[in-house]
Amino acid sequence: MMARGLGGFALVFAVLAALAVWREDLGLPIFYLVLASTALFWIAQATSWNVLSGYSGYFSFGQGAFVGVGAYTTAVLGGRHGVDFYLTVPVAAVFSALLALLVGALAFRLRSFRGEIFALLTLAVPFILAALARVNSEIDGGQGVIVPVAEYPDWLAQFQDFLYLLNLVVAVAAVAAAFAIQHTRFGWALASIRDAEDVAEGLGVATFRYKMLAIAVTGLIGGAAGSLFALQIGFVTVESVFGLTIPLFVIVMSVLGGRTHWVGPVLGAVVIVLIQDRLSASGFEGWNLIVLGAILAVLVVVAPDGLQARLWRRPWQAAVALVAVTGVLAVVDSWGGPLDWFVAGVLAAVAVVLWPGRARAPVAAERRPAAAPVAPEEAAGAVPVAADAEPGEVLVECRDVAKYFGGVRALDGVSLRIRAGELVGLVGPNGSGKTTLVNLLSGALRPTSGSIAVAGRDIVGLAPHRIAHVGVSRTHQIPKPFESMTVRDNVAMAIMFGRSPRPLAGAREEAEACLDVVHLRHLADAKPAEINLHERQLLEMARAIATKPKVLLLDEALAGLNPAEIDAAVAVVRRIHATGITIVIVEHLLRVVNQLATRVVVLNQGALLADGDPRTVMNDPDVIRAYLGRHAHARGT
Ligand SMILES: Nc1ncnc2c1ncn2[C@@H]1O[C@H](COP(=O)(O)OP(=O)(O)OP(=O)(O)O)[C@@H](O)[C@H]1O
């Protein structure tokens, strides 16, 4: 798949390059190559933006910074220091990538720098660079920098042919890189970050590293394309690169084309460049930004997923619309020229593709899993996830663990040992610190004091993905599936990045076995949006066991289920436990805890109130007073 795809890019490159080399022989007017050159520049820019912002969902307004660093590197090195143009291009790409890594190192270290905060940070970067360039006379000094014309091979007829070829090299390399990223672990990691970053990290994805890689690729491509941009405009000014035009264009292009697929930015860039060109040719150049803004507004409402996904669903209708409209206009020949007819055809195809269709129906009721309980012994043979700890070995050791949120003592001096093979019910009134303990064990939070060891390894301060690799996995109170992936791929992700990672094909195969454990195999091809809450909670469990944990933390995995679903889920938990995985289950329903737990731990106001076998603990007067009296009686459990 990958080799074939990259071979395809080589072929496309060869054909498009031939247009420049033999342009005069082919009788192709230079105008078309200039237009294609513009489209290629924007394809590279939109693809560059999309690797970070589309694939990982970190929306950036800083594209101008990468273009600007690339353009100024070439302009200053070439114009002021006489460095050969060809040398300045890789230097520009590297400088831009270094800037990107700096931005990433600042932004990605802090979890709070997400969403609009990240967008604002990236918005500030080009402004800062613009100010630096203005005040520094070695760079710009407010004057702008002239870019010397580069030497080009004499087998090319004109400078424009040369520019076209350069843009072609960068654009094809950029799109091939985006293609390769999408089809490797890297792309899967970015997609999981986009869908649910905390979950991805908890399943073993090194989110910081992948985001840094993505922003470096964005910088690299943006800088290389910026370097060519300098040559194209011939005179670089702060306004021409560091303004808001470039980010606005790349955002509209990628949103229009579709942000989750490598084809998206290509489609978007081609459509927008064609529209822009025809507006300019018809004397409506001033309308450019109005049209761009309108497209963005309409898209956000009508088709936030963009053209690509819809085009894949209606390829023939789009092709017919394109050919029919272009053909009819050509035959009638009463308006415009060939390019106008073609652009009208493209717009008709876009309209057909974006036309609202029927929403996907939820998965039919008869395909849902039976709610009947499953005997654990019946399942054990089919389970692919045997744990590797010795029974009785201490797996989790918390010593004097405390977690304070300002003045709130969520946990205060909890010491706890959990041995391999146990199924521990973690109970306590609301606010007693149960979820906080789960968050500490999975690394989502760091304790204020105390130590936590898993399988003999100190996990305090480890990133959650490292803790997943040590052998801790968890589910979330509110299921957080990767919405863009099928049920099977949600589980395959966890296998690809879990304790014994496998490549995608093997992971997908193994995912089916994990889905068997939770009775979801028949829904493997469904998207999370198409399954109900019970199934989403089962999916959480399948994904958690797919990482091959030693300890599985189930945080209210049965919340919101009806009695039949609860029985089915209880059977699934037993089944998982029968494979040898140690389980800690946070649960309010004492009936469930009594049915499942081999040991019960009770928290109250952040402290350990009781710990022992279920019967003794449930009859402890302190527990009855603190927990049962207030909570269980009220809920009739
Ligand atoms: N991020 C946070 N910031 C501030 N306070 C927090 C935070 N997380 C938890 N707390 C507080 O810590 C205490 C323990 O909360 P926690 O969610 O661990 O309890 P719980 O036993 O899981 O409750 P529930 O059964 O309602 O889920 C509560 O007083 C809660 O308000």
Coordinates of all heavy atoms in Angstrom, one line a residue, residues 349-425:
A349 N -19.4 20.3 -9.3 CA -19.0 19.1 -8.6 C -19.0 19.3 -7.1 O -19.4 18.4 -6.4 CB -17.7 18.6 -9.2
V350 N -18.4 20.4 -6.7 CA -18.3 20.7 -5.3 C -19.8 20.8 -4.7 O -20.0 20.2 -3.6 CB -17.6 22.1 -5.0 CG1 -17.8 22.5 -3.6 CG2 -16.1 21.9 -5.4
A351 N -20.7 21.4 -5.4 CA -22.1 21.5 -4.9 C -22.7 20.2 -4.8 O -23.4 19.9 -3.8 CB -22.9 22.4 -5.9
V352 N -22.5 19.3 -5.8 CA -23.0 17.9 -5.7 C -22.5 17.2 -4.5 O -23.2 16.5 -3.8 CB -22.7 17.2 -7.0 CG1 -23.0 15.7 -6.9 CG2 -23.6 17.8 -8.2
V353 N -21.2 17.3 -4.3 CA -20.5 16.6 -3.2 C -21.0 17.1 -1.9 O -21.2 16.3 -1.0 CB -19.0 16.8 -3.4 CG1 -18.3 16.3 -2.1 CG2 -18.5 16.0 -4.5
L354 N -21.2 18.4 -1.8 CA -21.6 19.0 -0.5 C -23.1 18.9 -0.2 O -23.5 19.1 0.9 CB -21.1 20.4 -0.3 CG -19.6 20.7 -0.3 CD1 -19.3 22.2 -0.1 CD2 -19.0 19.9 0.8
W355 N -23.9 18.5 -1.2 CA -25.3 18.5 -1.0 C -25.7 17.6 0.1 O -25.2 16.5 0.2 CB -26.0 18.0 -2.3 CG -27.4 18.4 -2.4 CD1 -28.5 17.6 -2.1 CD2 -28.0 19.7 -2.7 NE1 -29.7 18.3 -2.2 CE2 -29.4 19.6 -2.6 CE3 -27.4 20.9 -3.0 CZ2 -30.2 20.7 -2.8 CZ3 -28.3 22.0 -3.2 CH2 -29.6 21.9 -3.1
P356 N -26.5 18.1 1.1 CA -26.8 17.2 2.2 C -27.4 15.9 1.8 O -28.3 15.8 1.0 CB -27.8 18.0 3.0 CG -27.8 19.4 2.4 CD -27.3 19.3 1.1
G357 N -26.9 14.8 2.4 CA -27.5 13.5 2.2 C -28.1 13.0 3.4 O -28.2 13.7 4.4
R358 N -28.5 11.7 3.4 CA -29.2 11.1 4.6 C -28.1 10.8 5.6 O -27.0 10.3 5.2 CB -29.9 9.8 4.2 CG -31.4 10.1 3.8 CD -32.1 8.8 3.6 NE -31.5 8.0 2.5 CZ -31.3 6.7 2.7 NH1 -31.6 6.1 3.8 NH2 -30.8 6.0 1.7
A359 N -28.4 11.0 6.9 CA -27.4 10.7 7.9 C -27.3 9.2 8.0 O -28.3 8.5 7.7 CB -27.9 11.3 9.2
R360 N -26.2 8.7 8.5 CA -26.0 7.2 8.7 C -26.9 6.7 9.8 O -26.9 7.3 10.9 CB -24.6 6.9 9.0 CG -23.9 6.2 7.9 CD -22.5 5.9 8.3 NE -22.3 4.5 8.4 CZ -21.1 3.9 8.6 NH1 -20.0 4.7 8.7 NH2 -20.9 2.6 8.6
A361 N -27.7 5.7 9.5 CA -28.6 5.2 10.5 C -27.8 4.5 11.7 O -26.8 3.9 11.4 CB -29.6 4.2 9.9
P362 N -28.3 4.6 12.9 CA -27.7 3.8 14.0 C -27.7 2.3 13.7 O -28.5 1.9 12.9 CB -28.5 4.1 15.2 CG -29.4 5.2 14.8 CD -29.5 5.3 13.3
V363 N -26.8 1.6 14.3 CA -26.8 0.1 14.0 C -28.1 -0.5 14.5 O -28.6 -0.2 15.6 CB -25.6 -0.5 14.8 CG1 -25.6 -2.0 14.6 CG2 -24.3 0.1 14.3
A364 N -28.6 -1.4 13.6 CA -30.0 -1.9 13.9 C -30.0 -2.7 15.2 O -29.0 -3.3 15.6 CB -30.3 -2.9 12.8
A365 N -31.1 -2.7 15.9 CA -31.3 -3.3 17.2 C -30.9 -4.8 17.2 O -30.3 -5.3 18.1 CB -32.7 -3.1 17.7
E366 N -31.3 -5.5 16.1 CA -31.1 -6.9 16.1 C -29.6 -7.3 16.0 O -29.2 -8.4 16.2 CB -31.8 -7.6 14.9 CG -31.5 -7.2 13.5 CD -32.2 -6.0 13.0 OE1 -32.9 -5.3 13.8 OE2 -32.2 -5.7 11.8
R367 N -28.7 -6.3 15.7 CA -27.3 -6.6 15.6 C -26.6 -6.3 17.0 O -25.4 -6.5 17.1 CB -26.6 -5.8 14.5 CG -27.0 -6.2 13.1 CD -26.5 -5.3 12.1 NE -25.0 -5.1 12.2 CZ -24.4 -4.0 11.9 NH1 -25.1 -3.0 11.3 NH2 -23.1 -3.9 12.0
R368 N -27.4 -5.9 17.9 CA -26.8 -5.6 19.2 C -26.5 -6.8 20.0 O -27.1 -7.8 19.9 CB -27.7 -4.7 20.0 CG -27.9 -3.4 19.3 CD -28.5 -2.3 20.2 NE -28.6 -1.1 19.4 CZ -27.5 -0.3 19.1 NH1 -26.3 -0.7 19.6 NH2 -27.6 0.7 18.4
P369 N -25.4 -6.8 20.9 CA -25.1 -8.0 21.7 C -26.2 -8.4 22.6 O -26.9 -7.5 23.2 CB -23.8 -7.6 22.4 CG -23.9 -6.1 22.4 CD -24.6 -5.6 21.3
A370 N -26.3 -9.7 22.8 CA -27.3 -10.1 23.8 C -26.9 -9.7 25.2 O -25.7 -9.7 25.5 CB -27.4 -11.7 23.7
A371 N -27.9 -9.4 26.0 CA -27.5 -9.0 27.4 C -27.4 -10.1 28.3 O -27.1 -9.9 29.5 CB -28.6 -8.0 27.9
A372 N -27.5 -11.4 27.8 CA -27.4 -12.5 28.7 C -26.0 -12.6 29.3 O -25.0 -12.4 28.7 CB -27.7 -13.8 27.9
P373 N -26.0 -13.0 30.6 CA -24.7 -13.1 31.3 C -23.9 -14.3 30.7 O -24.4 -15.2 30.2 CB -25.0 -13.5 32.7 CG -26.5 -13.3 32.9 CD -27.1 -13.3 31.5
V374 N -22.5 -14.1 30.7 CA -21.7 -15.1 30.1 C -20.9 -15.7 31.2 O -20.3 -15.0 32.1 CB -20.7 -14.5 29.1 CG1 -19.8 -15.5 28.4 CG2 -21.4 -13.6 28.1
A375 N -20.8 -17.1 31.3 CA -20.1 -17.7 32.4 C -18.6 -17.5 32.1 O -18.1 -17.6 31.0 CB -20.4 -19.2 32.4
P376 N -17.8 -17.1 33.1 CA -16.4 -16.8 32.9 C -15.6 -18.0 32.3 O -14.8 -17.8 31.4 CB -15.9 -16.5 34.3 CG -16.9 -16.9 35.3 CD -18.2 -17.0 34.5
E377 N -15.9 -19.2 32.8 CA -15.1 -20.4 32.4 C -15.4 -20.7 30.9 O -14.5 -21.2 30.2 CB -15.4 -21.6 33.2 CG -16.9 -22.1 33.3 CD -17.7 -21.2 34.3 OE1 -17.2 -20.2 34.8 OE2 -18.9 -21.6 34.5
E378 N -16.6 -20.3 30.4 CA -17.0 -20.5 29.0 C -16.1 -19.7 28.1 O -15.8 -20.1 27.0 CB -18.4 -20.0 28.9 CG -19.0 -20.0 27.5 CD -20.3 -19.2 27.6 OE1 -21.1 -19.4 28.5 OE2 -20.5 -18.3 26.7
A379 N -15.6 -18.5 28.6 CA -14.9 -17.6 27.8 C -13.4 -17.7 27.8 O -12.7 -17.4 26.9 CB -15.2 -16.2 28.2
A380 N -12.9 -18.3 28.9 CA -11.4 -18.1 29.2 C -10.5 -18.6 28.0 O -9.5 -17.9 27.8 CB -11.1 -19.0 30.4
G381 N -10.9 -19.6 27.3 CA -10.1 -20.1 26.3 C -9.9 -19.1 25.1 O -8.8 -19.1 24.5
A382 N -10.9 -18.3 24.9 CA -10.9 -17.4 23.7 C -10.2 -16.1 24.0 O -9.9 -15.3 23.1 CB -12.3 -17.1 23.3
V383 N -9.8 -15.9 25.3 CA -9.3 -14.6 25.6 C -7.8 -14.4 25.3 O -7.0 -15.3 25.6 CB -9.5 -14.3 27.2 CG1 -8.9 -13.0 27.6 CG2 -10.9 -14.3 27.5
P384 N -7.4 -13.3 24.5 CA -6.1 -13.2 24.0 C -5.1 -12.5 25.0 O -4.0 -12.2 24.6 CB -6.3 -12.3 22.8 CG -7.5 -11.5 23.2 CD -8.3 -12.2 24.1
V385 N -5.6 -12.1 26.2 CA -4.8 -11.2 27.0 C -4.4 -11.7 28.3 O -4.7 -11.1 29.3 CB -5.7 -9.9 27.1 CG1 -5.7 -9.1 25.9 CG2 -7.1 -10.2 27.6
A386 N -3.8 -12.8 28.4 CA -3.4 -13.3 29.7 C -2.3 -12.4 30.3 O -1.4 -12.0 29.7 CB -2.8 -14.7 29.5
A387 N -2.5 -12.1 31.6 CA -1.6 -11.2 32.3 C -0.4 -12.0 32.7 O -0.4 -13.2 32.8 CB -2.3 -10.6 33.5
D388 N 0.8 -11.3 32.9 CA 2.0 -12.0 33.1 C 2.6 -11.8 34.5 O 3.7 -12.0 34.7 CB 3.1 -11.5 32.1 CG 3.2 -10.0 32.1 OD1 2.5 -9.3 32.9 OD2 3.9 -9.5 31.2
A389 N 1.7 -11.5 35.5 CA 2.2 -11.3 36.8 C 1.9 -12.7 37.6 O 1.0 -13.4 37.3 CB 1.4 -10.2 37.6
E390 N 2.8 -12.9 38.5 CA 2.7 -14.1 39.4 C 1.5 -13.9 40.4 O 1.5 -12.9 41.0 CB 4.0 -14.4 40.2 CG 5.1 -14.9 39.3 CD 4.9 -16.2 38.7 OE1 4.3 -17.1 39.5 OE2 5.2 -16.4 37.5
P391 N 0.6 -14.9 40.5 CA -0.5 -14.7 41.5 C 0.1 -14.4 42.9 O 1.1 -15.0 43.3 CB -1.2 -16.0 41.5 CG -0.8 -16.7 40.2 CD 0.5 -16.2 39.9
G392 N -0.5 -13.4 43.6 CA 0.0 -13.1 44.9 C 1.1 -12.0 44.9 O 1.3 -11.4 46.0
E393 N 1.8 -11.8 43.8 CA 2.8 -10.8 43.8 C 2.2 -9.4 44.0 O 1.1 -9.1 43.5 CB 3.4 -10.9 42.4 CG 4.4 -9.8 42.0 CD 4.7 -9.8 40.5 OE1 4.4 -10.8 39.8 OE2 5.1 -8.8 40.0
V394 N 2.9 -8.5 44.7 CA 2.4 -7.2 45.0 C 2.5 -6.4 43.6 O 3.6 -6.2 43.1 CB 3.1 -6.4 46.1 CG1 2.6 -5.0 46.2 CG2 3.0 -7.1 47.4
L395 N 1.4 -6.0 43.1 CA 1.4 -5.2 41.8 C 1.4 -3.7 42.0 O 2.1 -3.0 41.3 CB 0.2 -5.6 41.0 CG 0.3 -6.8 40.0 CD1 -0.9 -6.9 39.1 CD2 1.6 -6.7 39.2
V396 N 0.5 -3.3 43.0 CA 0.4 -1.9 43.2 C 0.7 -1.6 44.7 O 0.2 -2.3 45.6 CB -1.0 -1.4 42.9 CG1 -1.2 0.1 43.2 CG2 -1.4 -1.7 41.5
E397 N 1.6 -0.7 44.9 CA 1.9 -0.3 46.3 C 1.8 1.2 46.5 O 2.7 1.9 45.9 CB 3.3 -0.8 46.7 CG 3.8 -0.3 48.0 CD 4.2 -1.5 48.9 OE1 4.8 -2.4 48.4 OE2 4.0 -1.4 50.2
C398 N 0.8 1.7 47.2 CA 0.7 3.1 47.4 C 1.2 3.4 48.9 O 0.7 2.7 49.8 CB -0.7 3.6 47.4 SG -1.5 3.3 45.8
R399 N 2.1 4.3 49.1 CA 2.5 4.6 50.4 C 2.3 6.0 50.8 O 2.8 6.9 50.1 CB 4.0 4.4 50.5 CG 4.4 2.9 50.7 CD 5.7 2.7 51.3 NE 6.1 1.3 51.2 CZ 7.3 0.9 51.1 NH1 8.3 1.7 51.1 NH2 7.5 -0.4 51.0
D400 N 1.4 6.2 51.7 CA 1.1 7.5 52.3 C 0.8 8.6 51.2 O 1.3 9.7 51.2 CB 2.3 8.0 53.1 CG 1.9 8.8 54.3 OD1 0.7 8.8 54.6 OD2 2.8 9.5 54.9
V401 N -0.1 8.2 50.3 CA -0.3 9.0 49.1 C -1.3 10.1 49.4 O -2.4 9.9 50.0 CB -0.9 8.2 47.9 CG1 -1.4 9.0 46.8 CG2 0.2 7.2 47.4
A402 N -1.0 11.3 49.1 CA -1.9 12.5 49.3 C -2.0 13.3 48.0 O -1.1 13.3 47.2 CB -1.3 13.4 50.4
K403 N -3.2 13.8 47.8 CA -3.4 14.7 46.6 C -4.3 15.8 47.1 O -5.4 15.6 47.5 CB -4.1 13.9 45.5 CG -4.4 14.8 44.3 CD -3.1 15.3 43.6 CE -3.4 16.4 42.6 NZ -2.2 16.9 42.0
Y404 N -3.7 17.0 47.0 CA -4.5 18.2 47.4 C -4.8 19.1 46.1 O -4.0 19.2 45.3 CB -3.7 19.1 48.4 CG -3.2 18.4 49.6 CD1 -2.1 18.9 50.3 CD2 -3.9 17.3 50.1 CE1 -1.6 18.3 51.4 CE2 -3.4 16.7 51.3 CZ -2.3 17.1 51.9 OH -1.8 16.5 53.0
F405 N -6.0 19.6 46.1 CA -6.4 20.6 45.0 C -6.6 21.9 45.8 O -7.7 22.1 46.3 CB -7.7 20.2 44.3 CG -7.6 18.9 43.6 CD1 -8.1 17.7 44.1 CD2 -6.9 18.8 42.3 CE1 -8.1 16.5 43.3 CE2 -6.8 17.6 41.6 CZ -7.4 16.5 42.1
G406 N -5.6 22.7 45.8 CA -5.7 23.9 46.7 C -5.9 23.5 48.1 O -5.2 22.7 48.6
G407 N -7.0 23.9 48.7 CA -7.4 23.6 50.0 C -8.1 22.2 50.2 O -8.3 21.7 51.3
V408 N -8.5 21.7 49.0 CA -9.3 20.4 49.1 C -8.3 19.2 49.2 O -7.5 19.0 48.3 CB -10.2 20.2 47.8 CG1 -10.9 18.9 47.9 CG2 -11.1 21.4 47.7
R409 N -8.5 18.4 50.3 CA -7.7 17.2 50.4 C -8.4 16.0 49.8 O -9.2 15.3 50.5 CB -7.4 17.0 51.9 CG -6.6 18.1 52.5 CD -6.3 18.0 53.9 NE -5.3 19.0 54.3 CZ -4.2 18.8 55.0 NH1 -3.9 17.6 55.4 NH2 -3.3 19.8 55.2
A410 N -8.3 15.8 48.5 CA -9.0 14.7 47.9 C -8.5 13.4 48.4 O -9.3 12.5 48.5 CB -8.8 14.8 46.3
L411 N -7.2 13.2 48.6 CA -6.7 12.0 49.2 C -5.7 12.5 50.3 O -4.9 13.4 50.0 CB -6.0 11.1 48.2 CG -6.8 10.3 47.3 CD1 -5.9 9.5 46.4 CD2 -7.7 9.3 48.1
D412 N -5.6 11.8 51.4 CA -4.8 12.3 52.5 C -4.1 11.1 53.2 O -4.7 10.6 54.1 CB -5.6 13.2 53.4 CG -4.7 14.1 54.2 OD1 -3.5 14.2 53.9 OD2 -5.2 14.8 55.1
G413 N -3.0 10.7 52.8 CA -2.2 9.7 53.5 C -2.8 8.3 53.2 O -3.0 7.5 54.2
V414 N -3.1 7.9 52.0 CA -3.6 6.6 51.7 C -2.5 5.6 51.4 O -1.6 5.8 50.6 CB -4.6 6.6 50.5 CG1 -4.9 5.2 50.1 CG2 -5.8 7.4 50.9
S415 N -2.5 4.5 52.2 CA -1.5 3.4 51.9 C -2.3 2.2 51.5 O -3.3 1.8 52.2 CB -0.6 3.1 53.1 OG 0.2 4.3 53.4
L416 N -1.8 1.5 50.5 CA -2.6 0.4 49.9 C -1.8 -0.5 49.1 O -0.9 -0.1 48.4 CB -3.7 1.1 49.0 CG -4.7 0.2 48.3 CD1 -5.7 -0.3 49.4 CD2 -5.5 1.1 47.3
R417 N -2.0 -1.8 49.3 CA -1.3 -2.8 48.5 C -2.3 -3.6 47.7 O -3.3 -4.1 48.3 CB -0.6 -3.8 49.4 CG 0.8 -3.4 49.7 CD 1.5 -4.5 50.5 NE 2.9 -4.2 50.7 CZ 3.7 -4.9 51.4 NH1 3.2 -6.0 51.9 NH2 4.9 -4.6 51.6
I418 N -2.0 -3.8 46.4 CA -2.9 -4.7 45.6 C -2.1 -5.8 45.0 O -1.0 -5.5 44.4 CB -3.7 -3.9 44.5 CG1 -4.6 -2.8 45.2 CG2 -4.5 -4.8 43.6 CD1 -5.1 -1.8 44.2
R419 N -2.5 -7.0 45.2 CA -1.8 -8.2 44.7 C -2.3 -8.7 43.4 O -3.5 -8.6 43.1 CB -1.8 -9.3 45.8 CG -1.1 -8.9 47.1 CD -1.0 -10.0 48.1 NE -0.4 -9.5 49.3 CZ 0.9 -9.5 49.5 NH1 1.7 -10.0 48.5 NH2 1.5 -9.1 50.6
A420 N -1.5 -9.4 42.7 CA -1.9 -9.9 41.4 C -3.0 -10.9 41.6 O -3.0 -11.7 42.5 CB -0.7 -10.6 40.7
G421 N -4.0 -10.8 40.7 CA -5.1 -11.8 40.8 C -6.3 -11.3 41.6 O -7.4 -11.8 41.5
E422 N -6.1 -10.1 42.3 CA -7.3 -9.6 43.1 C -8.3 -8.9 42.2 O -7.9 -8.4 41.1 CB -6.7 -8.6 44.1 CG -6.0 -9.3 45.3 CD -5.8 -8.4 46.4 OE1 -5.1 -7.3 46.2 OE2 -6.2 -8.7 47.6
L423 N -9.5 -8.8 42.7 CA -10.5 -8.0 42.0 C -11.0 -7.1 43.1 O -11.8 -7.5 44.0 CB -11.6 -8.8 41.4 CG -12.5 -8.2 40.3 CD1 -13.3 -9.2 39.6 CD2 -13.2 -6.9 40.7
V424 N -10.5 -5.9 43.2 CA -10.7 -5.0 44.3 C -11.9 -4.0 44.0 O -11.8 -3.3 43.0 CB -9.5 -4.1 44.6 CG1 -9.7 -3.2 45.8 CG2 -8.3 -5.1 45.0
G425 N -12.9 -4.0 44.9 CA -14.0 -3.0 44.8 C -13.5 -1.8 45.5 O -13.3 -1.9 46.7

